[in-house]
Amino acid sequence: MRPPDILEGLLGWLPGRLDGCPVVATRPEQPDEVPARFVLLVQAGGSGRGHYLYGWQVVAYCFAGSVADAMALAEAVDEAMYECPSRSSLPVARVSGTAPQPSPDPDVPLPRCEATYQLTVLVS
C-alpha cells in the first residue's frame, strides 16, 4: 500500500482556505515570478508507515511584504492545517505542529514565517 499524495492534495486544497493565495511546492527563482505573498510547502519526512497509518511531515514557509503580513499568513495556514481532518477530503486523521514563527530566508527578499506540521494519514 502506498500512501496518498498528501502534498498534491494540500497544494489543491489550501489556496481555497487562504483566499486564493498561491501555494507552491517549488520556490519561484526568477524575481519577476515571485508573488507578493505565497506559501511554500516542503516535504520533511515523517515517521513513515505503521499498519494503516502513515506519518507525514511538511514545513509551511509563508512569504509576504512584511513580517506582520507573513505572520498573519502563517496563522491562516496554521488554522487551515488544523481544520484539514474535518474540512478537507484528504485522508488526514490528525494534525500536530509547531507554532508559526519568523524565519528570514537569505535568498528571498520577502519576510518569511514558518511552521512544521506532522500529519497522520490514513492508508487504505
Side-chain angles (χ1 to χ4, degrees):
M1 291 184 271
R2 295 187 72 149
D5 190 344
I6 296 301
L7 180 61
E8 190 66 31
L10 288 173
L11 291 172
W13 182 72
L14 272 176
R17 307 296 301 163
L18 304 174
D19 296 324
C21 178
V23 179
V24 298
T26 304
R27 186 181 70 203
E29 295 295 329
Q30 301 302 320
D32 60 331
E33 295 176 357
V34 177
R37 61 192 302 252
F38 68 98
V39 177
L40 171 64
L41 295 181
V42 177
Q43 293 183 56
S47 61
R49 188 187 327 257
H51 255 298
Y52 294 100
L53 301 175
Y54 192 84
W56 192 79
Q57 185 167 290
V58 64
V59 181
Y61 295 106
C62 301
F63 296 85
S66 70
V67 174
D69 288 342
M71 184 58 82
L73 180 56
E75 289 170 349
V77 169
D78 191 66
E79 184 176 326
M81 291 299 292
Y82 281 97
E83 290 177 340
C84 190
S86 62
R87 298 206 175 210
S88 79
S89 61
L90 299 172
V92 175
R94 182 174 180 269
V95 174
S96 62
T98 63
Q101 62 187 352
S103 172
D105 183 338
D107 297 327
V108 177
L110 293 172
R112 175 180 84 172
C113 291
E114 71 172 79
T116 302
Y117 299 95
Q118 295 78 38
L119 286 72
T120 302
V121 178
L122 302 171
V123 179
S124 54

